[in-house]
Amino acid sequence: MQASNQVLLRGKVQERQALAYTPAGTPVSRFQIAHQSVQVEAGRQREVQCTIEAVALGPLATELDRLPGDVEHTFSGFLAAKSLRYPRPILHVTAVLNETSI
């Protein structure tokens, strides 16, 4: 059985780095996603705010590089350690969803 690791997060692109390329020529987009919402936890509403580091590779990286930062988008992807040296989680974005695909 395969373990599940799927993230769906709505937020705004912030602190976008310049589009970079791997040694093999694959585009890489590194940015942060700022999220703000109201969630229900233990039967009570709670305001939630967080910022998560994110990365996208390939054609999606080029698309994300042009995404407006002042508009909320829904990002789909998975969590992985940034690296062995820095094991904190980073969101690997695999798709930007529009409202009709959610």
Side-chain angles (χ1 to χ4, degrees):
M1 176 196 321
Q2 185 177 6
S4 180
N5 180 355
Q6 298 176 320
V7 175
L8 195 62
L9 182 68
R10 185 153 181 85
K12 295 180 180 182
V13 174
Q14 291 189 335
E15 295 190 28
R16 184 181 350 223
Q17 294 179 11
L19 189 65
Y21 294 86
T22 67
T26 304
V28 179
S29 178
R30 296 185 183 282
F31 56 99
Q32 292 186 352
I33 300 171
H35 169 81
Q36 184 174 346
S37 66
V38 176
Q39 301 294 317
V40 176
E41 183 176 38
R44 304 188 108 173
Q45 286 193 341
R46 172 180 177 195
E47 287 189 30
V48 175
Q49 295 180 1
C50 67
T51 301
I52 187 164
E53 192 172 349
V55 64
L57 293 134
L60 182 59
T62 306
E63 179 185 329
L64 282 165
D65 194 53
R66 295 186 299 256
L67 212 58
D70 58 342
V71 177
E72 285 194 339
H73 304 279
T74 301
F75 301 90
S76 174
F78 62 92
L79 293 175
K82 182 170 183 172
S83 68
L84 292 175
R85 188 173 179 186
Y86 300 103
R88 69 180 178 270
I90 183 171
L91 177 61
H92 287 251
V93 175
T94 56
V96 178
L97 308 174
N98 59 37
E99 296 305 316
T100 58
S101 63
I102 298 174

Coordinates of all heavy atoms in Angstrom, one line a residue:
M1 N 0.8 -1.2 0.0 CA 0.0 0.0 0.0 C 0.9 1.2 0.0 O 1.8 1.4 0.8 CB -0.9 0.0 1.2 CG -1.7 1.3 1.3 SD -2.5 1.8 2.7 CE -3.3 0.9 3.7
Q2 N 0.6 2.2 -0.9 CA 1.3 3.4 -1.0 C 0.8 4.4 0.0 O -0.4 4.6 0.2 CB 1.2 4.0 -2.4 CG 2.1 5.2 -2.6 CD 2.0 5.7 -4.0 OE1 1.3 5.2 -4.8 NE2 2.8 6.7 -4.3
A3 N 1.7 5.1 0.8 CA 1.3 6.1 1.7 C 0.9 7.4 1.0 O 1.4 7.7 -0.1 CB 2.5 6.4 2.7
S4 N -0.1 8.0 1.5 CA -0.6 9.2 0.9 C 0.2 10.5 1.3 O 0.6 10.6 2.5 CB -2.1 9.4 1.3 OG -2.6 10.6 0.7
N5 N 0.5 11.3 0.4 CA 1.2 12.6 0.6 C 0.7 13.6 -0.4 O 1.3 13.8 -1.4 CB 2.7 12.4 0.5 CG 3.5 13.6 0.8 OD1 2.9 14.7 1.0 ND2 4.8 13.5 0.8
Q6 N -0.5 14.1 -0.2 CA -1.1 15.1 -1.1 C -1.5 16.3 -0.3 O -2.1 16.2 0.7 CB -2.4 14.5 -1.8 CG -2.0 13.2 -2.6 CD -3.3 12.6 -3.1 OE1 -4.3 12.5 -2.5 NE2 -3.2 12.2 -4.4
V7 N -1.2 17.4 -0.9 CA -1.5 18.7 -0.3 C -2.3 19.6 -1.3 O -2.0 19.6 -2.4 CB -0.2 19.5 0.1 CG1 -0.5 20.9 0.7 CG2 0.6 18.7 1.1
L8 N -3.3 20.2 -0.7 CA -4.1 21.2 -1.5 C -4.1 22.4 -0.7 O -4.6 22.4 0.5 CB -5.5 20.6 -1.7 CG -6.4 21.3 -2.8 CD1 -5.8 21.1 -4.1 CD2 -7.8 20.7 -2.8
L9 N -3.6 23.5 -1.2 CA -3.4 24.7 -0.4 C -3.8 26.0 -1.2 O -3.3 26.1 -2.4 CB -2.0 24.9 0.1 CG -1.7 26.1 1.0 CD1 -2.4 26.0 2.3 CD2 -0.2 26.2 1.2
R10 N -4.6 26.8 -0.7 CA -5.0 28.0 -1.4 C -4.2 29.2 -0.8 O -4.1 29.3 0.5 CB -6.5 28.3 -1.3 CG -6.9 29.5 -2.1 CD -8.4 29.3 -2.5 NE -8.8 30.5 -3.3 CZ -8.6 30.6 -4.6 NH1 -8.1 29.6 -5.2 NH2 -9.1 31.6 -5.2
G11 N -3.6 30.0 -1.6 CA -2.8 31.1 -1.1 C -2.3 32.0 -2.2 O -2.6 31.8 -3.4
K12 N -1.5 33.0 -1.8 CA -0.8 33.9 -2.7 C 0.7 33.6 -2.8 O 1.3 33.3 -1.8 CB -1.0 35.3 -2.3 CG -2.5 35.8 -2.3 CD -2.6 37.2 -1.8 CE -4.1 37.6 -1.8 NZ -4.2 39.0 -1.4
V13 N 1.2 33.8 -4.0 CA 2.7 33.6 -4.2 C 3.4 34.8 -3.6 O 3.0 36.0 -3.8 CB 3.0 33.5 -5.7 CG1 4.5 33.5 -6.0 CG2 2.3 32.3 -6.3
Q14 N 4.4 34.5 -2.8 CA 5.2 35.6 -2.2 C 6.7 35.2 -2.3 O 7.0 34.1 -2.5 CB 4.8 35.8 -0.7 CG 3.5 36.4 -0.5 CD 3.3 36.7 0.9 OE1 3.9 36.2 1.8 NE2 2.4 37.7 1.1
E15 N 7.5 36.2 -2.2 CA 9.0 36.0 -2.1 C 9.5 35.0 -3.2 O 10.2 34.1 -3.0 CB 9.4 35.5 -0.8 CG 9.2 36.6 0.3 CD 9.8 36.2 1.6 OE1 10.8 35.5 1.6 OE2 9.3 36.7 2.7
R16 N 9.1 35.3 -4.4 CA 9.5 34.5 -5.6 C 10.9 34.8 -6.0 O 11.3 35.9 -6.1 CB 8.5 34.8 -6.8 CG 8.7 34.0 -8.0 CD 7.8 34.4 -9.1 NE 6.7 35.3 -8.8 CZ 5.5 35.2 -9.2 NH1 5.1 34.2 -10.0 NH2 4.6 36.1 -8.8
Q17 N 11.7 33.7 -6.1 CA 13.1 33.9 -6.6 C 13.1 33.9 -8.1 O 12.1 33.5 -8.7 CB 13.9 32.8 -6.0 CG 14.1 32.7 -4.5 CD 14.9 31.6 -4.1 OE1 15.6 30.9 -4.9 NE2 15.0 31.4 -2.8
A18 N 14.2 34.4 -8.7 CA 14.3 34.4 -10.1 C 14.3 32.9 -10.6 O 14.8 32.0 -10.0 CB 15.6 35.1 -10.5
L19 N 13.7 32.8 -11.8 CA 13.6 31.4 -12.4 C 15.0 30.9 -12.6 O 15.9 31.6 -13.1 CB 12.9 31.5 -13.7 CG 12.5 30.2 -14.4 CD1 11.5 29.4 -13.6 CD2 11.9 30.5 -15.8
A20 N 15.3 29.7 -12.2 CA 16.6 29.1 -12.3 C 16.5 27.8 -13.1 O 15.4 27.4 -13.5 CB 17.1 28.8 -10.9
Y21 N 17.6 27.2 -13.4 CA 17.6 26.0 -14.2 C 18.6 25.0 -13.5 O 19.6 25.3 -13.0 CB 18.1 26.3 -15.6 CG 17.1 27.2 -16.3 CD1 17.2 28.5 -16.2 CD2 16.1 26.6 -17.1 CE1 16.2 29.3 -16.9 CE2 15.2 27.4 -17.8 CZ 15.2 28.8 -17.6 OH 14.3 29.5 -18.3
T22 N 18.2 23.7 -13.6 CA 19.1 22.6 -13.1 C 20.2 22.5 -14.1 O 20.1 23.0 -15.2 CB 18.3 21.3 -13.0 OG1 18.0 20.9 -14.3 CG2 17.1 21.4 -12.1
P23 N 21.3 21.7 -13.7 CA 22.4 21.5 -14.7 C 21.9 20.8 -16.0 O 22.5 21.0 -17.0 CB 23.3 20.6 -13.9 CG 23.1 20.9 -12.5 CD 21.6 21.2 -12.4
A24 N 20.7 20.1 -15.9 CA 20.2 19.4 -17.1 C 19.3 20.4 -17.9 O 18.8 20.0 -18.9 CB 19.4 18.2 -16.7
G25 N 19.1 21.6 -17.4 CA 18.3 22.6 -18.1 C 16.8 22.6 -17.8 O 16.1 23.3 -18.4
T26 N 16.4 21.9 -16.7 CA 15.0 22.0 -16.3 C 14.8 23.2 -15.5 O 15.5 23.6 -14.5 CB 14.8 20.7 -15.3 OG1 15.1 19.5 -16.1 CG2 13.3 20.7 -14.9
P27 N 13.7 24.0 -15.8 CA 13.4 25.2 -15.1 C 12.9 24.9 -13.6 O 12.3 23.9 -13.4 CB 12.2 25.8 -15.9 CG 12.2 25.1 -17.2 CD 12.8 23.8 -17.0
V28 N 13.3 25.7 -12.7 CA 13.0 25.6 -11.3 C 12.5 26.9 -10.8 O 13.2 27.9 -10.9 CB 14.2 25.2 -10.5 CG1 13.9 25.0 -9.0 CG2 14.9 23.9 -11.0
S29 N 11.3 26.9 -10.2 CA 10.7 28.1 -9.6 C 10.6 27.9 -8.1 O 10.1 26.9 -7.6 CB 9.3 28.3 -10.1 OG 8.7 29.5 -9.5
R30 N 11.3 28.8 -7.3 CA 11.2 28.7 -5.8 C 10.5 29.9 -5.3 O 10.8 31.0 -5.7 CB 12.6 28.6 -5.2 CG 13.4 27.4 -5.6 CD 14.7 27.3 -5.0 NE 15.5 26.1 -5.4 CZ 15.2 24.9 -5.0 NH1 14.3 24.7 -4.1 NH2 16.0 23.9 -5.5
F31 N 9.5 29.7 -4.4 CA 8.7 30.8 -3.9 C 8.1 30.4 -2.6 O 8.3 29.2 -2.1 CB 7.6 31.1 -4.9 CG 6.8 30.0 -5.4 CD1 5.5 29.8 -4.8 CD2 7.2 29.0 -6.3 CE1 4.7 28.7 -5.2 CE2 6.4 28.0 -6.7 CZ 5.2 27.8 -6.1
Q32 N 7.3 31.3 -2.0 CA 6.5 31.0 -0.8 C 5.1 31.2 -1.1 O 4.7 32.0 -1.9 CB 7.0 31.9 0.4 CG 8.4 31.6 0.8 CD 8.7 32.3 2.1 OE1 8.0 33.2 2.5 NE2 9.9 32.0 2.6
I33 N 4.2 30.4 -0.4 CA 2.8 30.5 -0.5 C 2.3 31.0 0.8 O 2.5 30.4 1.9 CB 2.1 29.2 -0.9 CG1 2.6 28.7 -2.2 CG2 0.6 29.4 -0.9 CD1 2.2 27.2 -2.5
A34 N 1.6 32.2 0.8 CA 1.0 32.7 2.0 C -0.5 32.3 2.1 O -1.2 32.6 1.1 CB 1.1 34.2 2.0
H35 N -0.9 31.6 3.1 CA -2.2 31.1 3.3 C -2.9 31.8 4.5 O -2.3 32.1 5.5 CB -2.2 29.6 3.5 CG -3.5 29.1 3.9 ND1 -4.5 28.8 3.0 CD2 -4.0 28.8 5.2 CE1 -5.6 28.3 3.7 NE2 -5.3 28.3 5.0
Q36 N -4.2 32.1 4.3 CA -5.0 32.7 5.4 C -6.4 32.1 5.2 O -7.0 32.2 4.1 CB -5.0 34.2 5.2 CG -5.7 34.9 6.4 CD -5.6 36.4 6.3 OE1 -4.7 36.9 5.5 NE2 -6.4 37.1 7.0
S37 N -7.0 31.6 6.3 CA -8.4 31.1 6.2 C -8.9 30.9 7.6 O -8.3 31.2 8.6 CB -8.4 29.7 5.5 OG -7.7 28.7 6.3
V38 N -10.2 30.5 7.7 CA -10.8 30.1 8.9 C -11.1 28.6 8.9 O -11.7 28.1 7.9 CB -12.2 30.9 9.1 CG1 -12.9 30.5 10.4 CG2 -11.9 32.4 9.2
Q39 N -10.6 27.9 9.9 CA -10.8 26.5 10.0 C -11.6 26.1 11.2 O -11.6 26.9 12.2 CB -9.5 25.8 10.0 CG -8.6 26.0 8.8 CD -9.2 25.5 7.5 OE1 -9.7 24.4 7.4 NE2 -9.1 26.3 6.4
V40 N -12.2 24.9 11.2 CA -12.9 24.4 12.4 C -12.0 23.4 13.1 O -11.6 22.4 12.4 CB -14.3 23.9 12.1 CG1 -15.0 23.3 13.3 CG2 -15.2 24.9 11.5
E41 N -11.7 23.6 14.3 CA -10.9 22.6 15.1 C -11.5 22.4 16.4 O -11.8 23.4 17.1 CB -9.5 23.1 15.2 CG -8.5 22.2 15.9 CD -7.1 22.7 16.0 OE1 -6.9 23.9 16.1 OE2 -6.2 21.9 15.8
A42 N -11.8 21.2 16.8 CA -12.4 20.8 18.1 C -13.7 21.6 18.2 O -14.1 22.0 19.3 CB -11.5 21.1 19.2
G43 N -14.5 21.7 17.1 CA -15.8 22.3 17.2 C -15.8 23.9 17.2 O -16.8 24.5 17.3
R44 N -14.6 24.5 17.1 CA -14.5 25.9 17.2 C -13.8 26.5 15.9 O -12.9 25.9 15.4 CB -13.7 26.4 18.4 CG -14.3 25.8 19.7 CD -13.6 26.4 20.8 NE -14.6 27.3 21.4 CZ -14.5 27.9 22.5 NH1 -13.4 27.9 23.2 NH2 -15.4 28.7 23.0
Q45 N -14.3 27.7 15.5 CA -13.6 28.3 14.4 C -12.3 29.0 14.9 O -12.2 29.5 16.0 CB -14.5 29.4 13.8 CG -15.7 28.9 13.1 CD -16.4 29.9 12.2 OE1 -16.2 31.1 12.5 NE2 -17.1 29.5 11.2
R46 N -11.4 28.9 14.0 CA -10.0 29.4 14.3 C -9.4 30.0 13.0 O -9.5 29.5 11.9 CB -9.2 28.2 14.7 CG -7.7 28.5 14.8 CD -7.0 27.2 15.2 NE -5.6 27.6 15.3 CZ -4.6 26.8 15.3 NH1 -4.8 25.5 15.3 NH2 -3.4 27.2 15.4
E47 N -8.9 31.2 13.2 CA -8.2 31.9 12.1 C -6.8 31.3 11.9 O -6.1 31.1 12.9 CB -8.1 33.4 12.4 CG -9.4 34.1 12.2 CD -9.2 35.6 12.3 OE1 -8.2 36.1 11.9 OE2 -10.2 36.3 12.8
V48 N -6.5 30.9 10.7 CA -5.2 30.3 10.4 C -4.4 31.1 9.4 O -5.0 31.6 8.4 CB -5.5 28.9 9.8 CG1 -4.2 28.2 9.4 CG2 -6.2 28.0 10.8
Q49 N -3.2 31.3 9.7 CA -2.2 32.0 8.8 C -0.9 31.2 8.8 O -0.5 30.8 9.8 CB -2.0 33.4 9.2 CG -3.2 34.3 9.2 CD -2.9 35.7 9.6 OE1 -1.7 36.1 9.9 NE2 -3.9 36.6 9.6
C50 N -0.4 31.0 7.6 CA 0.9 30.4 7.5 C 1.6 30.7 6.2 O 0.9 31.1 5.2 CB 0.8 28.8 7.7 SG 0.0 28.0 6.4
T51 N 2.9 30.5 6.1 CA 3.6 30.7 4.9 C 4.5 29.4 4.8 O 5.1 29.0 5.7 CB 4.5 31.9 5.0 OG1 3.7 33.1 5.2 CG2 5.3 32.1 3.7
I52 N 4.4 28.8 3.6 CA 5.2 27.6 3.3 C 6.1 27.8 2.1 O 5.7 28.4 1.1 CB 4.2 26.4 3.2 CG1 5.0 25.1 3.1 CG2 3.3 26.5 2.0 CD1 4.2 23.8 3.3
E53 N 7.3 27.2 2.2 CA 8.2 27.3 1.1 C 7.7 26.3 0.1 O 7.3 25.2 0.4 CB 9.6 26.9 1.6 CG 10.7 27.2 0.7 CD 12.1 27.0 1.3 OE1 12.2 26.8 2.6 OE2 13.0 27.0 0.6
A54 N 7.9 26.7 -1.2 CA 7.4 25.8 -2.3 C 8.4 25.8 -3.5 O 9.2 26.8 -3.6 CB 6.0 26.3 -2.8
V55 N 8.3 24.8 -4.3 CA 9.2 24.7 -5.5 C 8.3 24.0 -6.6 O 7.5 23.2 -6.3 CB 10.5 23.8 -5.2 CG1 10.1 22.4 -4.8 CG2 11.4 23.9 -6.3
A56 N 8.6 24.3 -7.8 CA 8.0 23.7 -9.0 C 9.1 23.5 -10.0 O 10.0 24.3 -10.1 CB 6.9 24.5 -9.5
L57 N 9.0 22.4 -10.8 CA 10.0 22.1 -11.8 C 9.3 21.9 -13.1 O 8.1 21.7 -13.2 CB 10.7 20.8 -11.4 CG 11.5 20.9 -10.1 CD1 11.3 19.7 -9.2 CD2 13.0 21.0 -10.5
G58 N 10.1 22.1 -14.2 CA 9.6 21.8 -15.6 C 8.8 23.0 -16.1 O 8.9 24.1 -15.6
P59 N 7.9 22.6 -17.0 CA 7.0 23.7 -17.6 C 6.2 24.4 -16.6 O 5.9 25.6 -16.7 CB 6.1 22.9 -18.6 CG 6.9 21.6 -18.9 CD 7.7 21.3 -17.7
L60 N 5.8 23.7 -15.5 CA 5.0 24.4 -14.4 C 5.8 25.5 -13.8 O 5.2 26.5 -13.4 CB 4.6 23.4 -13.4 CG 3.7 23.9 -12.2 CD1 2.4 24.5 -12.8 CD2 3.4 22.8 -11.3
A61 N 7.1 25.3 -13.7 CA 8.0 26.4 -13.1 C 7.9 27.7 -13.9 O 7.8 28.8 -13.4 CB 9.4 25.9 -13.0
T62 N 7.9 27.5 -15.2 CA 7.8 28.7 -16.1 C 6.4 29.3 -16.0 O 6.3 30.6 -15.9 CB 8.0 28.2 -17.6 OG1 9.3 27.5 -17.6 CG2 8.1 29.4 -18.5
E63 N 5.4 28.5 -15.9 CA 4.0 29.0 -15.7 C 3.9 29.8 -14.4 O 3.3 30.9 -14.3 CB 3.0 27.9 -15.7 CG 1.6 28.3 -15.5 CD 0.6 27.1 -15.4 OE1 0.9 26.1 -16.1 OE2 -0.4 27.2 -14.7
L64 N 4.4 29.2 -13.3 CA 4.4 29.8 -12.0 C 5.2 31.1 -11.9 O 4.8 32.0 -11.2 CB 4.9 28.9 -10.9 CG 3.9 27.8 -10.5 CD1 4.5 26.7 -9.7 CD2 2.7 28.4 -9.7
D65 N 6.2 31.2 -12.7 CA 7.0 32.4 -12.7 C 6.2 33.6 -13.2 O 6.5 34.8 -12.9 CB 8.3 32.2 -13.6 CG 9.3 33.3 -13.4 OD1 9.7 33.5 -12.3 OD2 9.7 33.9 -14.4
R66 N 5.2 33.4 -14.0 CA 4.3 34.4 -14.6 C 3.0 34.6 -13.8 O 2.2 35.5 -14.1 CB 4.0 34.1 -16.0 CG 5.2 34.1 -16.9 CD 4.8 34.0 -18.4 NE 4.1 32.7 -18.6 CZ 4.6 31.7 -19.2 NH1 5.9 31.7 -19.6 NH2 3.9 30.6 -19.4
L67 N 2.8 33.8 -12.7 CA 1.6 33.9 -12.0 C 1.5 35.1 -11.1 O 2.5 35.5 -10.4 CB 1.5 32.6 -11.1 CG 0.2 32.0 -10.7 CD1 -0.6 31.6 -11.9 CD2 0.4 30.9 -9.8
P68 N 0.4 35.9 -11.2 CA 0.3 37.1 -10.4 C 0.4 36.8 -8.9 O -0.3 35.9 -8.4 CB -1.0 37.8 -10.8 CG -1.8 36.7 -11.5 CD -0.8 35.7 -12.0
G69 N 1.1 37.6 -8.1 CA 1.3 37.3 -6.7 C 0.2 38.0 -5.8 O 0.1 37.7 -4.7
D70 N -0.6 38.8 -6.4 CA -1.7 39.5 -5.6 C -3.0 38.8 -5.7 O -4.0 39.3 -5.2 CB -1.8 41.0 -6.1 CG -2.2 41.1 -7.6 OD1 -2.0 40.1 -8.3 OD2 -2.6 42.1 -8.0
V71 N -3.1 37.6 -6.3 CA -4.3 36.8 -6.5 C -4.1 35.5 -5.8 O -3.1 34.9 -5.9 CB -4.6 36.7 -8.0 CG1 -5.9 35.8 -8.2 CG2 -4.8 38.0 -8.7
E72 N -5.2 35.0 -5.1 CA -5.1 33.7 -4.5 C -5.2 32.6 -5.6 O -6.0 32.7 -6.6 CB -6.2 33.5 -3.5 CG -5.9 34.2 -2.2 CD -6.8 33.7 -1.1 OE1 -7.9 33.1 -1.4 OE2 -6.4 33.9 0.1
H73 N -4.4 31.5 -5.5 CA -4.5 30.4 -6.4 C -4.5 29.1 -5.5 O -4.1 29.1 -4.3 CB -3.2 30.3 -7.2 CG -3.0 31.6 -8.0 ND1 -3.6 31.8 -9.2 CD2 -2.2 32.6 -7.8 CE1 -3.3 33.0 -9.6 NE2 -2.4 33.5 -8.8
T74 N -5.0 28.0 -6.1 CA -5.0 26.8 -5.4 C -3.9 25.9 -5.9 O -3.8 25.6 -7.1 CB -6.4 26.1 -5.5 OG1 -7.4 26.9 -5.0 CG2 -6.4 24.7 -4.7
F75 N -3.0 25.5 -5.0 CA -1.8 24.7 -5.4 C -2.0 23.2 -4.9 O -2.5 23.0 -3.8 CB -0.6 25.3 -4.7 CG -0.3 26.7 -5.1 CD1 -0.9 27.7 -4.4 CD2 0.5 27.0 -6.2 CE1 -0.6 29.1 -4.7 CE2 0.7 28.3 -6.6 CZ 0.1 29.4 -5.8
S76 N -1.6 22.3 -5.8 CA -1.7 20.9 -5.5 C -0.2 20.4 -5.5 O 0.5 20.8 -6.4 CB -2.6 20.2 -6.5 OG -2.5 18.8 -6.3
G77 N 0.1 19.5 -4.6 CA 1.4 18.9 -4.6 C 1.7 17.9 -3.5 O 0.7 17.4 -2.9
F78 N 2.9 17.8 -3.1 CA 3.3 16.9 -2.0 C 4.4 17.5 -1.2 O 5.1 18.4 -1.7 CB 3.8 15.5 -2.6 CG 5.0 15.6 -3.5 CD1 6.2 15.4 -3.0 CD2 4.8 15.8 -4.9 CE1 7.4 15.5 -3.8 CE2 5.9 15.9 -5.7 CZ 7.2 15.7 -5.2
L79 N 4.6 17.0 0.0 CA 5.6 17.5 0.9 C 6.8 16.6 0.9 O 6.7 15.4 0.8 CB 5.1 17.6 2.4 CG 4.0 18.6 2.6 CD1 3.5 18.4 4.1 CD2 4.5 20.0 2.4
A80 N 8.0 17.2 0.9 CA 9.3 16.4 1.0 C 10.3 17.3 1.8 O 10.1 18.5 1.9 CB 9.8 16.1 -0.4
A81 N 11.3 16.7 2.3 CA 12.3 17.4 3.0 C 13.1 18.3 2.0 O 13.2 17.9 0.8 CB 13.3 16.4 3.6
K82 N 13.4 19.5 2.4 CA 14.1 20.4 1.5 C 15.4 19.7 1.0 O 15.8 19.8 -0.2 CB 14.4 21.7 2.1 CG 15.1 22.7 1.3 CD 15.2 24.1 1.8 CE 15.8 25.0 0.9 NZ 15.7 26.4 1.3
S83 N 16.1 19.1 1.9 CA 17.4 18.3 1.6 C 17.7 17.5 2.8 O 17.1 17.7 3.9 CB 18.5 19.3 1.2 OG 18.9 20.0 2.4
L84 N 18.7 16.7 2.7 CA 19.1 15.9 3.9 C 19.7 16.8 4.9 O 19.5 16.6 6.1 CB 20.2 14.8 3.4 CG 19.6 13.7 2.6 CD1 20.8 12.8 2.1 CD2 18.6 12.9 3.3
R85 N 20.4 17.9 4.5 CA 21.0 18.8 5.4 C 19.9 19.7 6.1 O 20.1 20.1 7.3 CB 22.0 19.6 4.7 CG 22.8 20.5 5.6 CD 23.9 21.2 4.8 NE 24.7 22.0 5.7 CZ 25.6 22.8 5.3 NH1 25.9 22.9 4.0 NH2 26.3 23.6 6.1
Y86 N 18.9 20.0 5.4 CA 17.8 20.9 5.9 C 16.5 20.1 5.8 O 15.8 20.2 4.8 CB 17.7 22.2 5.1 CG 19.0 23.0 5.1 CD1 19.8 23.0 4.1 CD2 19.3 23.7 6.3 CE1 21.0 23.8 4.1 CE2 20.4 24.5 6.3 CZ 21.3 24.5 5.3 OH 22.5 25.2 5.3
P87 N 16.1 19.3 6.8 CA 15.0 18.4 6.6 C 13.6 19.0 6.8 O 12.6 18.3 6.7 CB 15.2 17.3 7.7 CG 16.0 18.1 8.8 CD 16.9 19.1 8.0
R88 N 13.5 20.3 6.9 CA 12.2 20.9 7.0 C 11.4 20.7 5.8 O 12.0 20.6 4.7 CB 12.3 22.4 7.4 CG 12.9 23.3 6.3 CD 12.9 24.7 6.7 NE 13.5 25.6 5.7 CZ 14.8 25.8 5.6 NH1 15.7 25.3 6.4 NH2 15.2 26.6 4.6
P89 N 10.1 20.6 5.9 CA 9.3 20.3 4.7 C 9.2 21.5 3.7 O 9.2 22.6 4.1 CB 7.9 20.0 5.3 CG 7.9 20.6 6.6 CD 9.3 20.7 7.1
I90 N 9.0 21.1 2.5 CA 8.8 22.1 1.4 C 7.7 21.5 0.5 O 7.7 20.3 0.3 CB 10.1 22.3 0.6 CG1 9.9 23.4 -0.5 CG2 10.7 21.1 0.0 CD1 11.2 23.8 -1.1
L91 N 6.9 22.3 0.0 CA 5.8 21.9 -0.9 C 6.3 21.8 -2.3 O 6.7 22.8 -2.9 CB 4.6 22.8 -0.8 CG 3.4 22.5 -1.7 CD1 2.8 21.1 -1.4 CD2 2.3 23.6 -1.6
H92 N 6.2 20.6 -2.9 CA 6.6 20.5 -4.3 C 5.3 20.6 -5.1 O 4.4 19.7 -5.0 CB 7.2 19.1 -4.5 CG 8.6 19.0 -4.0 ND1 9.7 18.9 -4.9 CD2 9.1 19.0 -2.8 CE1 10.8 18.9 -4.2 NE2 10.4 18.9 -2.9
V93 N 5.1 21.7 -5.7 CA 3.8 22.0 -6.5 C 3.8 21.2 -7.8 O 4.8 21.3 -8.5 CB 3.7 23.5 -6.7 CG1 2.5 23.8 -7.6 CG2 3.6 24.3 -5.4
T94 N 2.8 20.5 -8.0 CA 2.6 19.7 -9.2 C 1.5 20.2 -10.1 O 1.5 19.9 -11.3 CB 2.4 18.2 -8.9 OG1 1.2 18.1 -8.1 CG2 3.5 17.6 -8.2
A95 N 0.7 21.1 -9.6 CA -0.4 21.7 -10.4 C -0.9 23.0 -9.7 O -0.9 23.1 -8.5 CB -1.5 20.7 -10.6
V96 N -1.4 23.9 -10.5 CA -2.1 25.1 -10.1 C -3.5 24.8 -10.6 O -3.8 24.8 -11.8 CB -1.6 26.4 -10.6 CG1 -2.4 27.5 -10.1 CG2 -0.1 26.5 -10.1
L97 N -4.5 24.7 -9.7 CA -5.9 24.3 -10.0 C -6.7 25.6 -10.2 O -6.6 26.6 -9.5 CB -6.5 23.4 -9.0 CG -5.6 22.2 -8.6 CD1 -6.3 21.5 -7.4 CD2 -5.5 21.3 -9.8
N98 N -7.6 25.5 -11.1 CA -8.6 26.6 -11.2 C -9.9 26.2 -10.5 O -10.0 25.0 -10.1 CB -8.9 27.0 -12.7 CG -9.4 25.8 -13.5 OD1 -10.2 25.0 -13.0 ND2 -9.0 25.7 -14.8
E99 N -10.8 27.0 -10.3 CA -11.9 26.7 -9.4 C -12.8 25.6 -10.0 O -13.4 24.9 -9.2 CB -12.8 28.0 -9.3 CG -12.1 29.1 -8.5 CD -11.6 28.7 -7.2 OE1 -12.3 28.0 -6.4 OE2 -10.4 29.0 -6.9
T100 N -12.8 25.4 -11.3 CA -13.7 24.3 -11.9 C -13.0 23.0 -11.7 O -13.7 22.0 -11.8 CB -13.9 24.6 -13.4 OG1 -12.7 24.7 -14.0 CG2 -14.7 25.9 -13.5
S101 N -11.7 22.9 -11.4 CA -11.1 21.6 -11.3 C -11.0 21.1 -9.8 O -10.5 20.0 -9.6 CB -9.7 21.6 -11.9 OG -8.9 22.5 -11.2
I102 N -11.5 21.9 -8.9 CA -11.4 21.5 -7.5 C -12.6 20.7 -7.1 O -13.7 21.0 -7.5 CB -11.3 22.8 -6.6 CG1 -10.0 23.5 -6.9 CG2 -11.4 22.4 -5.1 CD1 -9.8 24.8 -6.2

